[in-house]
Amino acid sequence: MCGIVGYVGGQQAAPLVLEGLTRLEHRGYDSAGVAVLGTSGIKIAKQKGRVRDLGGTLPKRFQGRTGIGHTRWATHGPANDVNAHPHTDAKGLVAVVHNGIIDNAAALRQQLTDDGLDLASDTDTEVIAHLVAGSEQDTLEGKLIDALGRIEGTYGVAVMHADFPDRIVVARNGSPLIIGVGEKEMHVASDLAALVRYTTTVAHLDDGEMATITAAGFTTFTADRSSTHKAATTVDIDPAAYDAGEHDSFMHKEMLEQPTVAARVLRGRLDERFGTAHLGGLNMGARETRAIKRVKILGCGSAYYVGQMGASLIEELARIPADAEAASEFRYRNPIIEPDTLYVAVSQSGETIDTLLAVQEIQRKGGRCVGLINVVGSAIARECDGGIYLHAGPEVAVASTKALTNMFLGFALLALQLGRVRDLSIADGKRLIAGLNALPGQIEEILAKEDELSEIAIGLAGAESLFFIGRVRGFPVAREGAQKFKEISYRHAEAYQTSELKHGPLALISDEVPTIAIVPNDELADRNVAAMHEIAARRGPLLAVTHEGVDFGELDAVRIDVPANEPELDPILLTIPLQLLAYHAARHLGHDIDKPRNLAKSVTVE
Ligand code: F6R
């Protein structure tokens, strides 16, 4: 999704801004632009396409020590040079970059046109530049406050003005902005990834907060001009986490990190003696935990699917009714919020707008919401009443892998804690802890099969359409497998409940449509094998992700055996080979694995 970078200081801004933008490329974008403010005013370069192409076109005299840049993911108007940010007013005195969506853009565009202005682009952002230029306030801060007062919608916005060359003024409402503090220079960005090469001393803006950034420092305030006295803090992030190293992609690097990060999310949270988990961050005592009557999990995309795995874990271990719902749908059905329900928001980025809005809906109605979040200090993490950080480290690839694994483990820890204040026995608690401790090693075993999985994936890559099927615990695994496959291989991959196949989709099975069946060695294995026979009878090619003990008899199916753990924990192990299948199919097809078309890492617009 769109990215913002800004710099004020003693150095030339353009190279620093461009470097920052390349660090945001993984978020997904279709055009890029940069503006610098020097002695001869504002200069702008922007175009459709990659940041490196933009860098190659900059003239020598593209100079200025204040600069802003942007990567755009089209919302209003197609991806082209004109719609790329930064946008300016008619006189070229103001330059604006913006993430988010202005809901009343059409009305504002009309008013500006009625006032005699020609709008150059189709974007909502351009109106901000004209509104800032049209304000009669005598400071840039006042002009931006004026402009934002007329805007409805979400924004992370950064503005420069030729009459105020020493500063960038920024504002946040729904789209992240982080200020980076350097030595007599300041940075701003929508994502830490663009800052960590220069500084790890940062300040996250809150919604409703604005900031002025000059080489000497920053001040934060609100639209009524009262100071918010925000101080910068140091984040514990290794800049190397944003480097793919010897890997051909971040996705590959991140898949291989899974054993390490899985061990990390468990560290210090398992109580072997009492067979339980300790999650201090939930901010809930035993009595409050016991009072929970229901659990509702909210997330989007893969986070929603892993939420479904989490709901099964909670129901099985704690015997509390639990379900997961797409956060993007939740608030639109005027949900009933119950005081004895524990709401759980699950998100890698902690910035997904749909999940954030769901949390706000819950809190508006007095519900308690905790978060399973990877990015420390992110918007959802800060809005929740408590939570579990996932400690997966920065996840750069658009396709989520290691964060997803740690989400599952976060749910396992939560289920264990909820279970042990109810009827889960100490022996069962210990059984699960042994299973959890074995998981990192078992993930490693699966990753070691990469060559075998790569060959299978190359076979699948030729299919235009595939089914992923599973039952009960296996169904969210199938959903996640299909999701990963479609988003990076661009093949049509559909997940179905194995039991539902013959109620419709069986009509699509042919020798050209492979089915990937999730078949754990559980009480449903026979039923799964029976469904696979029905597919085989229609000449459908079959691949089973399964356990050693499952007998497929005469069935002509390729099998991938994963190590078995406790049945409740098996879903995550069954998921890992599906990541490798998607990755190798996409690689074979020559796709850009980390930046799949049309997708973005943090979906910060609705
Ligand atoms: C798929 C994927 C997305 C995200 C979804 C939610 O591989 O990464 O489906 O899971 O956009 O993102 P977060 O977890 O940041 O809320």
Side-chain angles (χ1 to χ4, degrees):
M1 207 115 286
C2 304
I4 289 177
V5 177
Y7 172 83
V8 197
Q11 306 186 57
Q12 285 303 323
L16 292 166
V17 169
L18 285 171
E19 163 66 20
L21 291 179
T22 60
R23 301 278 148 186
L24 299 186
E25 284 197 303
H26 65 278
R27 295 172 65 96
Y29 72 106
D30 43 50
S31 44
V34 55
V36 288
L37 178 43
T39 43
S40 53
I42 287 177
K43 292 194 178 73
I44 296 211
K46 55 181 189 169
Q47 63 184 43
K48 183 178 171 188
R50 296 282 160 206
V51 174
R52 65 171 171 274
D53 300 332
L54 174 72
T57 65
L58 292 187
K60 270 222 170 67
R61 299 183 61 79
F62 197 80
Q63 292 187 344
R65 298 181 198 280
T66 304
I68 53 177
H70 193 259
T71 45
R72 174 174 188 252
W73 189 84
T75 56
H76 286 62
N80 59 32
D81 295 356
V82 175
N83 287 337
H85 301 205
H87 288 283
T88 58
D89 65 307
K91 293 187 182 148
L93 290 175
V94 177
V96 175
V97 291
H98 162 233
N99 291 352
I101 291 187
I102 299 171
D103 297 329
N104 60 339
L108 291 170
R109 287 177 67 91
Q110 188 58 54
Q111 284 165 24
L112 291 166
T113 314
D114 293 347
D115 291 347
L117 281 165
D118 274 337
L119 284 112
S121 74
D122 310 312
T123 65
D124 52 348
T125 302
E126 190 185 341
V127 301
I128 307 176
H130 293 291
L131 292 176
V132 169
S135 163
E136 293 187 350
Q137 295 290 327
D138 50 15
T139 61
L140 181 52
E141 292 77 0
K143 288 177 191 292
L144 184 58
I145 290 170
D146 256 7
L148 296 179
R150 293 179 62 186
I151 279 169
E152 289 159 22
T154 54
Y155 48 80
V157 65
V159 182
M160 296 192 311
H161 195 303
D163 295 345
F164 307 93
D166 66 331
R167 66 195 53 211
I168 300 171
V169 181
V170 300
R172 170 184 172 139
N173 181 36
S175 279
L177 278 179
I178 308 163
I179 296 166
V181 180
E183 204 41 54
K184 296 196 183 122
E185 59 182 15
M186 299 290 294
H187 303 258
V188 64
S190 53
D191 191 312
L192 266 182
L195 299 177
V196 287
R197 285 200 128 203
Y198 307 112
T199 177
T200 50
T201 306
V202 302
H204 291 261
L205 287 194
D206 284 310
D207 278 348
E209 212 169 21
M210 302 177 69
T212 300
I213 299 160
T214 64
F218 70 97
T219 50
T220 53
F221 51 94
T222 50
D224 64 5
R225 293 166 206 249
S226 39
S227 169
T228 54
H229 303 290
K230 182 149 279 176
T233 52
T234 304
V235 285
D236 180 19
I237 283 192
D238 176 5
Y242 292 101
D243 226 315
E246 81 254 22
H247 300 271
D248 70 340
S249 61
F250 279 99
M251 182 179 177
H252 192 256
K253 175 180 183 231
E254 289 160 7
M255 285 190 298
L256 267 59
E257 281 173 359
Q258 290 179 108
T260 312
V261 301
R264 202 190 293 151
V265 72
L266 300 174
R267 197 167 302 141
R269 287 168 162 170
L270 292 172
D271 180 338
E272 315 256 353
R273 188 157 158 237
F274 293 105
T276 188
H278 283 311
L279 299 168
L282 287 182
N283 301 328
M284 282 164 69
R287 208 163 283 165
E288 276 174 288
T289 313
R290 263 203 80 88
I292 295 166
K293 293 263 164 37
R294 235 176 305 280
V295 176
K296 168 70 106 184
I297 297 162
L298 296 151
C300 293
S302 290
Y304 162 41
Y305 303 142
V306 80
Q308 289 190 310
M309 299 182 202
S312 290
L313 273 162
I314 291 166
E315 285 206 348
E316 290 179 66
L317 300 183
R319 303 304 296 156
I320 306 174
D323 76 327
E325 183 173 339
S328 46
E329 291 285 288
F330 178 72
R331 82 194 171 101
Y332 288 104
R333 57 176 187 78
N334 191 16
I336 299 164
I337 302 298
E338 296 160 310
D340 48 9
T341 295
L342 177 68
Y343 295 88
V344 184
V346 56
S347 173
Q348 186 286 127
S349 61
E351 301 289 351
T352 301
I353 193 80
D354 289 314
T355 311
L356 179 62
L357 292 172
V359 172
Q360 289 171 348
E361 175 75 6
I362 292 161
Q363 292 185 328
R364 201 174 300 118
K365 293 179 171 175
R368 177 199 286 269
C369 189
V370 298
L372 256 67
I373 311 291
N374 193 38
V375 178
V376 175
S378 55
I380 302 174
R382 282 181 293 149
E383 294 257 343
C384 282
D385 301 305
I388 305 172
Y389 275 125
L390 300 172
H391 301 311
E395 190 178 67
V396 176
V398 165
S400 184
T401 54
K402 61 174 182 171
L404 186 118
T405 294
N406 278 17
M407 286 173 187
F408 180 89
L409 295 175
F411 280 119
L413 292 167
L414 178 62
L416 193 56
Q417 180 162 324
L418 292 175
R420 286 289 293 124
V421 295
R422 290 186 170 68
D423 298 332
L424 189 75
S425 68
I426 192 162
D428 264 337
K430 287 185 173 182
R431 170 179 71 81
L432 283 157
I433 288 181
L436 285 169
N437 283 329
L439 264 166
Q442 291 179 312
I443 295 174
E444 189 115 49
E445 275 180 58
I446 300 170
L447 294 171
K449 294 187 181 194
E450 184 170 356
D451 289 347
E452 182 194 332
L453 288 161
S454 154
E455 272 182 41
I456 298 172
I458 290 168
L460 295 176
E464 287 296 333
S465 189
L466 305 93
F467 276 104
F468 285 70
I469 58 170
R471 293 191 73 159
V472 189
R473 286 189 201 115
F475 180 52
V477 176
R479 293 189 89 180
E480 169 54 17
Q483 163 97 337
K484 211 99 298 169
F485 206 89
K486 75 178 78 146
E487 68 183 334
I488 56 171
S489 79
Y490 314 152
R491 297 307 198 203
H492 170 242
E494 189 169 344
Y496 237 88
Q497 280 123 324
T498 311
S499 52
E500 283 286 303
L501 214 59
K502 55 180 172 296
H503 298 294
L506 208 52
L508 295 175
I509 295 295
S510 75
D511 57 357
E512 289 179 2
V513 181
T515 299
I516 292 91
I518 312 303
V519 191
N521 192 8
D522 61 12
E523 60 287 358
L524 289 168
D526 289 350
R527 305 286 357 110
N528 280 320
V529 174
M532 289 171 71
H533 275 286
E534 290 164 7
I535 293 166
R538 281 138 190 104
R539 295 183 295 120
L542 282 162
L543 167 66
V545 180
T546 186
H547 292 134
E548 215 173 66
V550 178
D551 181 6
F552 292 98
E554 301 295 291
L555 204 57
D556 181 16
V558 177
R559 63 187 292 163
I560 300 169
D561 286 336
V562 302
N565 195 299
E566 297 303 326
E568 299 91 334
L569 302 177
D570 279 332
I572 198 60
L573 293 171
L574 294 159
T575 305
I576 307 288
L578 304 180
Q579 301 171 346
L580 285 157
L581 289 179
Y583 163 81
H584 280 287
R587 193 166 183 255
H588 178 70
L589 292 165
H591 297 164
D592 185 342
I593 290 176
D594 288 335
K595 299 190 269 295
R597 70 181 181 207
N598 304 338
L599 299 181
K601 183 65 182 162
S602 301
V603 184
T604 51
V605 295
E606 265 201 271

